[in-house]
Amino acid sequence: MENSTSSCFLMERKTHAKINRKEVMLAKLRKSCSCTPQKLKNLVMDFFPVLRWLPKYQCKEYIWGDVMSGLVIGIILVPQAIAYSLLAGLKPIYSLYTSFFANIIYFLMGTSRHVSVGIFSLISLMVGQVVDRELLLAGFDLNDDAPPALGDGSLQNDSLSNTTAFNLTIVGINAECGKECYAIGIATALTFVAGVYQVLMGIFRLGFVSMYLSESVLDGFATGASLTILTAQVKYLIGIKIPRSQGHGMLVITWINIFRNISQANLCDVITSAICIVVLVTAKELGDRYKHKLKFPLPTELVVIAVATLVSHYGKLNEVYASSVSGAIPTGFIPPKVPQFNLMLRVAVDALPLAIVSFVFTVSLSEMFAKKYAYTIRANQEMFAVGFCNIIPSFFHSFATSAALAKTLVKTSTGCQTQVSGVISAMVVLLVLLFLAPLFYSLQKCVLACIIIVSLRGALRKFKDVPARYHVNKMDTLVWVVTMSASALVSTEIGLLAGIVFSMLCIVVRTQRPRTALLGRIQDTGFYEDDLEYENLSTVPKVKIFRFEAPLYYANRNYFLKSLYRLTNLDPNLEAAARKKHEKKEKQHLKKENHRTVNGLGIRETTLQLVPKQIDFQVLVLDCSCIAFLDTTGVNTLKEIMKDYKNLNISVLLACCNPSVIDSLKRGGYFGRDFGSMQEMLFYSIHNAVLFAKEQKLPADSPV
């Protein structure tokens, strides 16, 4: 309803046909359960998107870019896979398996043309933390240089009731599983359960959970986890042997152990680490500076690994200087094995954050590059793809995977057009698996640690962005700091949970204590703005205009009332109480006057001394343009203030209400049973409410 110059009109709402949700659900169910050849074909092609795009593959246009990017990523994958095995607490061969199978499966099931799915530092860290915990509970020694328990006929601590034993058959020899076998058993069970979670999330369309991981939470989580990764690699950099810390506060405990044992540092490892870091950082900086001139990135990691392996082998650094090396890496594939069900039960809780983080990173990167290169992805299919990238490889001694930003950027910069590049990368890894793996026997672990640490540059550089982030949004910066601190100082899982919870609390706080303002009129216009923020605004005589910039619900009801009373300088409840007190005293004075006359003071003068303060407005306009919704408490609050102000002869008008708010007010009985007074209470603009207020026939000496 709008009223201007004595003319009123009521906007009629459209009548929407009522939807029979039961019938809709039954129709969808019948459609889903029906089976036709065409529907079956579409189902298969949707599940394997490669069947849609591969027949349309433009070989002459795409093949060169796909081959080049595939070779470059394959060359990068090999050293990274070997290095990230340190994070996962597993042997390098399992990282190579992971990189191989993930690329093949995502080629078949993924909808993104560009993302590189495979081994990822944060995921490897999360897997490694679970593996280390379970190894400790099973009684194994976490010392990397401890002799392998495979083939010794027993576990290292048979007396522990929680030690798990299961058989492994390799080359016809039946042996009880030792530390290495138990570690990969934990990793595959964790990976399988995470994949099952992701597939179930895809079936039930729970991809919306990724919305609760804001950019600040993800950046804080990545930075905090990067600090943990860096801390875990320092012992390899300087060649000291300290126990691998577990549980909360691992970062602090590890640094304490490092400084306690710093005198035992291996000089050979320290020198090697310094040289490798200088070479890697210099090459990365030069690559970033001249990337527009380079057709493909420099394979610095591969060169460093090749040179370091040759130097270590011919210089006999392990024998002469006791430098820790990677050791034997077998060739070929280990026979597939079903993940152990009893181990799945032990890691079921740990698999949930792993599944969510893996999915969120994959989908966010897929959407980012799809937008950049103007095509679409299907988030639900991405969840299936990454889920099966975990489920199927878990039978082949692989662990959890995710999309990685750094490798994806390299793929796009080297001309990647489709996921055919992933197959090329898998072939490079396969070549290493079948023939070249034993050549890395003499590779020092400190070199692998250098590769890991240098790869964290992007995440660690987030610290430089804190001032700019703070300038843009202080609350988001606080979310980043809390998530980063909890991820680094407590644990990655707790850090992720803390970040999600804290970011939600920030949203609640913002709606609990939103901005409120009294509005003034922009001169010679029909627009109104915050009187404290803008100059040269004119006040409307006898009218107060109040804006509340949040939904009105149970959590901010009290703040709404306090702000309204404070800005209008009038609490109707206190004013009503004061008037009742005045009336009571007036009656008492009148009663006493009937018996005697007050000395030197007339009745009129006495009355004037007891009159409450004068009120400077007669109409209150509530600007509801920022109120997205009302709950029952919100409706009751508006009804309450309308009643309270009415007792003081002050009219309350609502302006700029959206349809949802209007419907809530109608259902709550704000406009009465027949909505007869609606045209005098509801306006579609502030200016029309003000014009209506000016036309009200109020006496000039109104008691308000």
Side-chain angles (χ1 to χ4, degrees):
M1 189 281 303
E2 293 193 6
N3 186 303
S4 179
T5 64
S6 302
S7 62
C8 303
F9 70 90
L10 183 65
M11 294 180 63
E12 295 185 6
R13 295 280 295 275
K14 290 183 178 180
T15 303
H16 298 281
K18 291 186 177 180
I19 300 175
N20 191 326
R21 298 186 182 276
K22 183 179 179 181
E23 290 296 328
V24 172
M25 292 294 292
L26 289 175
K28 288 184 177 180
L29 191 61
R30 282 193 295 267
K31 184 178 178 180
S32 300
C33 294
S34 63
C35 184
T36 62
Q38 183 61 39
K39 186 174 180 181
L40 186 61
K41 177 184 176 182
N42 291 336
L43 183 65
V44 172
M45 295 186 76
D46 286 343
F47 198 70
F48 295 102
V50 66
L51 299 176
R52 292 189 184 274
W53 62 262
L54 191 59
K56 303 174 184 177
Y57 187 79
Q58 301 175 27
C59 189
K60 291 183 180 180
E61 185 178 349
Y62 293 162
I63 192 64
W64 174 247
D66 283 341
V67 170
M68 281 300 299
S69 63
L71 288 174
V72 171
I73 292 298
I75 292 171
I76 293 174
L77 268 177
V78 172
Q80 281 195 352
I82 297 174
Y84 289 169
S85 63
L86 296 180
L87 293 176
L90 302 169
K91 296 297 180 181
I93 188 68
Y94 303 126
S95 300
L96 294 171
Y97 290 158
T98 302
S99 299
F100 172 75
F101 285 109
N103 277 283
I104 295 296
I105 295 171
Y106 192 81
F107 162 77
L108 298 172
M109 301 185 66
T111 59
S112 173
R113 303 174 192 171
H114 297 93
V115 298
S116 176
V117 175
I119 194 166
F120 184 38
S121 58
L122 298 184
I123 302 298
S124 300
L125 173 67
M126 297 177 74
V127 171
Q129 290 177 336
V130 178
V131 168
D132 287 349
R133 185 197 68 204
E134 293 300 321
L135 286 176
L136 278 176
L137 292 175
F140 289 107
D141 183 8
L142 291 184
N143 185 1
D144 296 312
D145 296 322
L150 183 60
D152 62 359
S154 63
L155 291 172
Q156 294 183 13
N157 193 345
D158 292 327
S159 61
L160 290 177
S161 60
N162 60 1
T163 301
T164 306
F166 48 97
N167 292 329
L168 174 69
T169 303
I170 301 179
V171 197
I173 301 175
N174 190 22
E176 197 170 61
C177 190
K179 175 185 173 182
E180 177 186 339
C181 178
Y182 188 70
I184 190 60
I186 291 292
T188 55
L190 177 68
T191 301
F192 180 85
V193 177
V196 170
Y197 286 156
Q198 288 166 335
V199 171
L200 290 176
M201 290 166 69
I203 292 174
F204 294 106
R205 301 185 180 276
L206 299 179
F208 68 87
V209 298
S210 63
M211 295 187 298
Y212 296 103
L213 295 176
S214 65
E215 182 180 347
S216 299
V217 171
L218 287 176
D219 284 350
F221 172 73
T223 306
S226 297
L227 292 176
T228 304
I229 293 171
L230 186 150
T231 300
Q233 301 309 303
V234 171
K235 68 175 185 178
Y236 299 111
L237 285 182
I238 59 180
I240 62 175
K241 293 178 173 59
I242 59 174
R244 296 176 69 170
S245 304
Q246 273 293 302
H248 302 331
M250 182 270 282
L251 183 139
V252 176
I253 296 172
T254 301
W255 279 107
I256 291 174
N257 289 331
I258 288 171
F259 286 113
R260 283 178 177 173
N261 295 273
I262 194 71
S263 59
Q264 302 174 11
N266 188 305
L267 185 60
C268 176
D269 285 344
V270 172
I271 295 174
T272 303
S273 299
I275 294 173
C276 289
I277 288 178
V278 169
V279 172
L280 288 168
V281 171
T282 303
K284 292 290 184 184
E285 293 296 330
L286 290 174
D288 292 343
R289 181 173 298 181
Y290 300 105
K291 60 183 177 182
H292 58 284
K293 296 182 179 181
L294 299 173
K295 293 185 177 180
F296 55 87
L298 299 173
T300 314
E301 292 91 345
L302 189 64
V303 173
V304 168
I305 281 184
V307 173
T309 302
L310 291 174
V311 172
S312 176
H313 176 73
Y314 290 105
K316 297 183 178 180
L317 301 185
N318 177 245
E319 295 84 352
V320 177
Y321 301 103
S323 181
S324 181
V325 296
S326 298
I329 304 177
T331 56
F333 289 91
I334 301 174
K337 182 178 179 62
V338 178
Q340 296 292 310
F341 181 74
N342 60 328
L343 296 181
M344 294 181 197
L345 299 177
R346 298 178 66 93
V347 298
V349 176
D350 303 289
L352 185 58
L354 183 67
I356 294 175
V357 171
S358 173
F359 159 70
V360 169
F361 274 103
T362 302
V363 172
S364 60
L365 285 179
S366 299
E367 290 177 342
M368 181 173 73
F369 284 93
K371 182 179 180 181
K372 182 177 180 180
Y373 291 97
Y375 64 92
T376 58
I377 65 155
R378 288 184 286 124
N380 217 50
Q381 179 61 26
E382 286 296 299
M383 194 176 289
F384 284 127
V386 73
F388 281 100
C389 279
N390 287 326
I391 291 176
I392 297 174
S394 67
F395 290 85
F396 296 90
H397 310 280
S398 303
F399 55 92
T401 57
S402 172
L405 176 60
K407 291 193 286 289
T408 303
L409 290 173
V410 172
K411 283 185 74 171
T412 56
S413 66
T414 51
C416 172
Q417 298 292 332
T418 68
Q419 282 299 331
V420 169
S421 63
V423 177
I424 304 299
S425 301
M427 294 303 104
V428 175
V429 176
L430 181 63
L431 181 66
V432 175
L433 276 170
L434 296 179
F435 305 108
L436 304 180
L439 299 179
F440 297 102
Y441 177 91
S442 299
L443 178 61
Q444 294 167 272
K445 288 185 177 179
C446 64
V447 177
L448 300 177
C450 292
I451 293 174
I452 293 174
I453 290 174
V454 173
S455 71
L456 301 176
R457 289 184 314 143
L460 296 177
R461 279 177 174 170
K462 297 291 184 181
F463 285 104
K464 293 172 59 178
D465 300 335
V466 172
R469 187 189 294 270
Y470 182 81
H471 179 72
V472 172
N473 193 298
K474 297 178 178 59
M475 193 68 75
D476 283 348
T477 306
L478 188 58
V479 171
W480 183 90
V481 170
V482 169
T483 308
M484 183 274 298
S485 302
S487 299
L489 300 177
V490 185
S491 70
T492 51
E493 293 84 358
I494 297 297
L496 183 63
L497 180 62
I500 295 173
V501 172
F502 187 76
S503 62
M504 289 182 177
L505 287 176
C506 289
I507 295 174
V508 172
V509 169
R510 287 177 180 180
T511 60
Q512 278 188 309
R513 301 184 66 85
R515 282 177 52 87
T516 57
L518 281 184
L519 306 186
R521 182 181 177 183
I522 302 174
Q523 293 182 1
D524 301 324
T525 70
F527 301 102
Y528 299 79
E529 263 303 340
D530 188 347
D531 200 19
L532 294 178
E533 295 293 333
Y534 296 94
E535 299 286 351
N536 302 321
L537 297 183
S538 59
T539 59
V540 182
K542 300 294 184 179
V543 177
K544 297 280 189 181
I545 307 169
F546 176 75
R547 175 187 288 168
F548 188 73
E549 299 181 3
L552 180 55
Y553 67 113
Y554 69 94
N556 61 17
R557 171 189 181 276
N558 291 334
Y559 184 76
F560 173 84
L561 294 175
K562 288 180 181 178
S563 301
L564 175 62
Y565 299 159
R566 174 175 54 83
L567 292 175
T568 58
N569 196 27
L570 175 65
D571 185 335
N573 297 310
L574 295 179
E575 180 65 20
R579 292 193 176 191
K580 287 182 180 179
K581 185 177 180 181
H582 159 68
E583 291 174 0
K584 183 178 179 181
K585 288 187 176 182
E586 189 177 56
K587 289 179 181 179
Q588 291 176 351
H589 277 278
L590 290 174
K591 187 177 180 181
K592 290 180 181 179
E593 189 61 26
N594 292 332
H595 296 86
R596 61 186 179 85
T597 302
V598 180
N599 293 331
L601 190 64
I603 298 174
R604 179 176 177 81
E605 293 176 345
T606 305
T607 304
L608 289 174
Q609 286 186 2
L610 297 172
V611 169
K613 67 176 182 180
Q614 295 295 311
I615 300 173
D616 61 350
F617 66 99
Q618 300 171 356
V619 178
L620 174 65
V621 178
L622 297 181
D623 176 12
C624 302
S625 58
C626 298
I627 299 179
F629 65 86
L630 297 171
D631 67 352
T632 305
T633 303
V635 174
N636 291 335
T637 301
L638 292 180
K639 291 170 67 177
E640 176 186 326
I641 64 172
M642 178 179 66
K643 178 182 176 182
D644 292 342
Y645 280 110
K646 186 176 181 180
N647 293 334
L648 301 179
N649 294 326
I650 297 176
S651 302
V652 177
L653 308 180
L654 305 182
C656 305
C657 295
N658 64 48
S660 172
V661 170
I662 294 174
D663 290 341
S664 297
L665 292 171
K666 285 181 177 179
R667 290 192 297 268
Y670 183 85
F671 302 112
R673 292 184 179 180
D674 55 356
F675 310 135
S677 59
M678 186 173 172
Q679 61 182 356
E680 297 180 355
M681 302 169 67
L682 181 65
F683 299 83
Y684 292 103
S685 72
I686 298 175
H687 191 57
N688 285 103
V690 171
L691 292 176
F692 179 84
K694 288 182 177 180
E695 293 178 358
Q696 289 191 86
K697 302 301 182 182
L698 294 175
D701 56 347
S702 174
V704 301

